[in-house]
């Protein structure tokens, strides 16, 4: 039997041994299995992908697993939802939409809109994506390139390929990262990433870099780290390939009267925007919906239920979500883009309904699932299926619909 296989068997036996309740996993044993894992599981795939052994060795020289990363499943522990939120997009909406920060980003965005107008106009002609949407994503992902990207990409991706809840996805991303170096885009020591393994100023996962990054300045390199035209064009290309509808807005903040049921939101419940107007939905700006939009389909969007602003979203809102699958993220992008063009702050406020951790929300989702509701998965993230399931249960229980998780609601749902 090979040494690698023997060590993996040993680690499996160690993980299977009973531990006292609450005992921590044996991190030394876990770390000892990292190098054999790379050799047995990753190197053969990398070799088949055309990665030279010298690149593989350089990528993992001195690299150990980072067991402090979120969303890991250590041997002997069941897969679980993280109790606390790590991504800003899944925390308090009020904190996410900090007005001073948004206004500062909008001011800088207007200056960059002028500075890169020629490139942005050309990108819009090619992709259909408005310049302000592209700039807003650049702002959110890296502060227009000012944010530090501190992690060793190979350590992050290697750890997640080894121990995350979504190993297969991260193994593919790790192979893609190795190919990026093998193909000469960056050197090993230049491969810095976020804690999730995203690269460069627009924060592309390695596979997205390979598929969607653009050499806009024609120098022969797809440089999303230092070359602004490449960065902007790559973002535009990403959204175009995700289905951006040329000529449509992302959405509109609206006043939705109480007669409009918050549990009817969601992109799978689209209807002509004119139908929302007939139901009494109106733009908070007082302006009518553009005539072309009235004839097109949209959907109700209430990202914090009745505890926050309401919107009529177009399909382009969900194209932005293809970049980052969070309602708050997509809303931030659309709102910041509007602010660059002179739009104002949200008129609807964000109200705190009671603090809940991601784990709390997951347990609430499990209770709803047990009652037959489709919450989109008990992942601790209150997406539109969870929000409208809450509203549906509240209606059946004779309660006021809020369509948002709260400690009181969790108590009412019972065990």
């Amino acid at each position: 039997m090979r040494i690698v296989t023997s060590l993996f068997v040993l680690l499996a036996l160690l993980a299977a041994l009973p531990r006292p309740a609450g005992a921590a996993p044996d991190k030394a044993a876990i770390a000892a299995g990292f190098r054999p894992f790379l050799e047995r599981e990753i190197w053969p795939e990398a070799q088949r992908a055309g990665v030279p052994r010298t690149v593989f060795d350089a990528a993992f020289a001195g690299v150990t697993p980072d067991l402090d990363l979120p969303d890991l499943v250590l041997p002997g522990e069941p897969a679980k939802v993280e109790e606390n939120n790590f991504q800003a997009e899944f925390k308090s909406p009020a904190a996410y939409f900090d007005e001073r920060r948004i206004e500062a980003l909008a001011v800088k965005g207007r200056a960059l809109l002028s500075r890169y107008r020629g490139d942005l106009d050309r990108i819009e002609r090619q992709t259909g994506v408005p310049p302000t949407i592209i700039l807003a994503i650049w702002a959110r992902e890296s502060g227009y390139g000012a944010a530090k990207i501190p992690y060793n990409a190979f350590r992050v991706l290697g750890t997640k390929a080894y121990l995350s809840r979504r190993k297969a996805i991260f193994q593919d991303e790790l192979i893609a990262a190795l190919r990026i170096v093998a193909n000469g885009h960056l050197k090993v020591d230049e491969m810095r990433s976020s804690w999730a393994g995203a690269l460069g100023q627009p924060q592309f996962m390695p596979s997205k870099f390979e598929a969607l990054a653009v050499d806009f300045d024609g120098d022969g390199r797809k440089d999303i780290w230092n070359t602004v035209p490449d960065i902007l064009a790559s973002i535009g290309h990403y959204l175009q390939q995700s289905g951006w509808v040329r000529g449509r807005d992302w959405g509109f903040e609206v006043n939705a009267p109480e007669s409009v049921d918050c549990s009817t939101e969601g992109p799978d419940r689209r209807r002509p925007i004119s139908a929302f107007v007939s139901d009494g939905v109106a733009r908070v700006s007082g302006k009518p919906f553009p005539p072309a939009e009235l004839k097109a389909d949209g959907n109700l969007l209430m990202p914090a239920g009745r505890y926050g602003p309401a919107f009529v979203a177009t399909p382009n809102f969900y194209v932005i979500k293809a970049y980052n699958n969070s309602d708050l993220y997509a809303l931030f992008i659309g709102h910041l883009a509007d602010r660059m063009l002179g739009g104002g702050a949200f008129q609807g406020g964000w109200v705190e309904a009671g603090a809940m951790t991601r784990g709390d929300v997951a347990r609430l989702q499990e209770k709803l699932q047990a009652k037959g509701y489709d919450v989109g998965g008990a992942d601790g993230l209150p997406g539109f299926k969870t929000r409208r399931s809450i509203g549906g249960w509240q209606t059946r229980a004779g309660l006021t619909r809020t369509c948002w998780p709260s400690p009181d609601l969790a108590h009412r749902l019972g065990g």
Side-chain angles (χ1 to χ4, degrees):
M1 181 179 290
R2 292 181 302 164
I3 293 175
V4 168
T5 304
S6 299
L7 183 53
F8 264 83
V9 170
L10 175 60
L11 284 172
L13 290 172
L14 286 172
L17 289 174
R19 296 198 308 267
D26 187 341
K27 293 189 176 182
I30 295 169
F34 183 58
R35 186 67 51 175
F37 160 78
L38 294 175
E39 291 292 341
R40 189 180 79 166
E41 302 292 336
I42 303 303
W43 167 241
E45 288 296 322
Q47 188 175 35
R48 284 191 286 271
V51 176
R53 182 71 203 200
T54 53
V55 169
F56 183 86
D57 288 342
F60 293 107
V63 172
T64 58
D66 184 350
L67 302 184
D68 293 324
L69 292 173
D71 291 329
L72 302 182
V73 180
L74 303 185
E77 291 187 341
K80 64 182 186 304
V81 171
E82 291 284 349
E83 186 64 29
N84 296 303
N85 298 325
F86 287 89
Q87 285 181 260
E89 286 77 23
F90 304 120
K91 294 185 178 180
S92 164
Y96 192 74
F97 292 100
D98 179 78
E99 179 57 27
R100 287 181 297 179
R101 182 163 183 264
I102 289 175
E103 181 56 26
L105 290 172
V107 169
K108 185 166 185 178
R110 292 182 201 114
L112 292 171
L113 185 62
S114 175
R115 180 176 177 182
Y116 295 107
R117 172 60 72 179
D119 288 330
L120 288 163
D121 284 349
R122 183 179 156 207
I123 293 166
E124 183 175 20
R125 288 194 297 271
Q126 292 179 359
T127 67
V129 182
T132 50
I133 292 289
I134 293 172
L135 288 172
I137 288 178
W138 187 23
R140 180 67 228 176
E141 294 297 339
S142 63
Y144 302 114
K148 295 185 182 301
I149 303 174
Y151 291 89
N152 177 332
F154 292 111
R155 188 181 193 207
V156 168
L157 293 169
T159 301
K160 287 183 172 286
Y162 180 40
L163 295 170
S164 83
R165 291 185 294 120
R166 299 176 293 162
K167 291 182 181 180
I169 291 173
F170 283 103
Q171 286 181 18
D172 290 344
E173 294 297 343
L174 179 55
I175 299 300
L178 289 164
R179 280 196 302 258
I180 288 171
V181 173
N183 292 333
H185 294 289
L186 283 185
K187 298 176 182 177
V188 164
D189 61 3
E190 295 172 324
M191 288 287 283
R192 312 300 294 176
S193 76
S194 70
W195 63 261
L199 306 172
Q201 293 190 34
Q203 287 289 273
F204 280 15
M205 292 302 289
S207 63
K208 294 299 184 184
F209 171 84
E210 290 189 310
L212 298 172
V214 172
D215 173 21
F216 193 71
D217 66 355
D219 68 351
R221 296 183 66 230
K222 301 175 182 180
D223 184 3
I224 63 170
W225 293 269
N226 302 296
T227 302
V228 172
D230 287 5
I231 292 164
L232 301 176
S234 296
I235 294 170
H237 188 228
Y238 193 121
L239 295 178
Q240 178 194 33
Q241 294 301 305
S242 298
W244 187 270
V245 181
R246 187 184 294 266
R248 292 205 68 183
D249 210 317
W250 66 270
F252 308 87
E253 187 182 358
V254 299
N255 289 314
E258 290 296 330
S259 58
V260 174
D261 185 351
C262 58
S263 65
T264 62
E265 78 158 308
D268 55 348
R269 298 187 180 179
R270 288 185 182 133
R271 56 191 184 129
I273 291 178
S274 59
F276 288 103
V277 175
S278 297
D279 289 344
V281 173
R283 295 178 65 184
V284 296
S285 66
K287 298 177 182 178
F289 288 94
E293 293 287 1
L294 279 173
K295 301 174 185 177
D297 285 349
N299 62 271
L300 185 66
L301 169 70
M302 302 185 76
R306 285 289 177 183
Y307 292 106
F311 305 85
V312 169
T314 79
N316 282 341
F317 178 86
Y318 298 91
V319 173
I320 299 172
K321 281 191 68 176
Y323 204 102
N324 182 317
N325 191 26
S326 157
D327 285 341
L328 293 187
Y329 177 90
L331 187 57
F332 187 100
I333 299 306
H335 181 60
L336 178 55
D338 289 348
R339 295 290 286 270
M340 291 181 202
L341 296 175
F346 292 128
Q347 291 194 25
W350 305 94
V351 180
E352 180 59 63
M356 296 188 77
T357 67
R358 183 171 173 177
D360 290 335
V361 175
R363 288 183 284 274
L364 183 150
Q365 289 169 322
E366 289 170 352
K367 293 176 183 178
L368 286 168
Q369 283 181 325
K371 296 179 183 296
Y373 289 92
D374 177 11
V375 298
D379 57 5
L381 308 176
F384 74 89
K385 288 186 177 181
T386 293
R387 299 193 297 265
R388 71 188 185 194
S389 292
I390 289 171
W393 182 84
Q394 288 171 323
T395 298
R396 289 180 61 184
L399 303 172
T400 300
R401 287 188 297 260
T402 65
C403 299
W404 190 249
S406 67
D408 177 68
L409 175 67
H411 175 74
R412 288 176 179 273
L413 279 166

